[in-house]
Amino acid sequence: AAAEEEEEEEPKFLGLNPTWLTRRHVNAAEMFHIQEEIKAAEREAQLRMANETKSKLEEMGVVEMGGKADDEGRLLDPIKKDALINPMEEAIGEQLDHAILTMDQATEVGEYPVQVGLGHGVVAHITLEVHKL
């Protein structure tokens, strides 16, 4: 009975079974390629979406905002880049959660170039026009 129990135990060392190794490596390689294809498809989809958003923003072109200003046109409350997000989202009907805006703080009436980074190297160029209220 003791000898039979020993045979039923899992072998401690499987050794190099070529069919097991090959199948395992093929499966790992297939999974790796499948995962890489999925990642590439996701990147392509994100890039396509970023480019569509860029087109919408550049079609809109200008964000107009008003601010109280003194007689020389200096704004009493400078407009910071975060204030542009809502008007931009409304104009294009899309959330811009991950957009990175680059612009100088608007301190007076006039036009300000704004770069909107949309990820994947896609950047939209728009203009902020500040009017006196």
Side-chain angles (χ1 to χ4, degrees), residues 65-91:
M65 296 186 80
K68 290 184 179 159
D70 63 19
D71 294 336
E72 285 87 56
R74 285 189 301 263
L75 294 174
L76 305 180
D77 283 322
I79 297 174
K80 295 177 178 65
K81 61 186 177 184
D82 298 344
L84 275 68
I85 296 285
N86 284 342
M88 286 168 38
E89 288 179 340
E90 285 174 26

Side-chain angles (χ1 to χ4, degrees), residues 1-73:
E4 281 176 29
E5 279 179 31
E6 278 179 34
E7 283 176 30
E8 287 176 18
E9 276 182 38
E10 286 287 316
K12 301 276 184 287
F13 176 69
L14 292 172
L16 296 178
N17 177 340
T19 59
W20 176 80
L21 269 179
T22 307
R23 188 172 347 115
R24 182 169 160 253
H25 286 99
V26 167
N27 288 347
E30 283 176 358
M31 278 307 299
F32 176 78
H33 286 295
I34 290 167
Q35 287 168 344
E36 288 302 302
E37 285 173 12
I38 290 169
K39 285 182 201 167
E42 285 173 357
R43 275 193 300 273
E44 283 174 27
Q46 290 168 346
L47 182 61
R48 189 172 58 250
M49 287 165 43
N51 279 316
E52 287 171 10
T53 302
K54 174 185 176 175
S55 297
K56 288 181 190 176
L57 285 169
E58 290 185 344
E59 212 172 279
M60 170 196 75
V62 174
V63 174
E64 292 187 37
M65 296 186 80
K68 290 184 179 159
D70 63 19
D71 294 336
E72 285 87 56

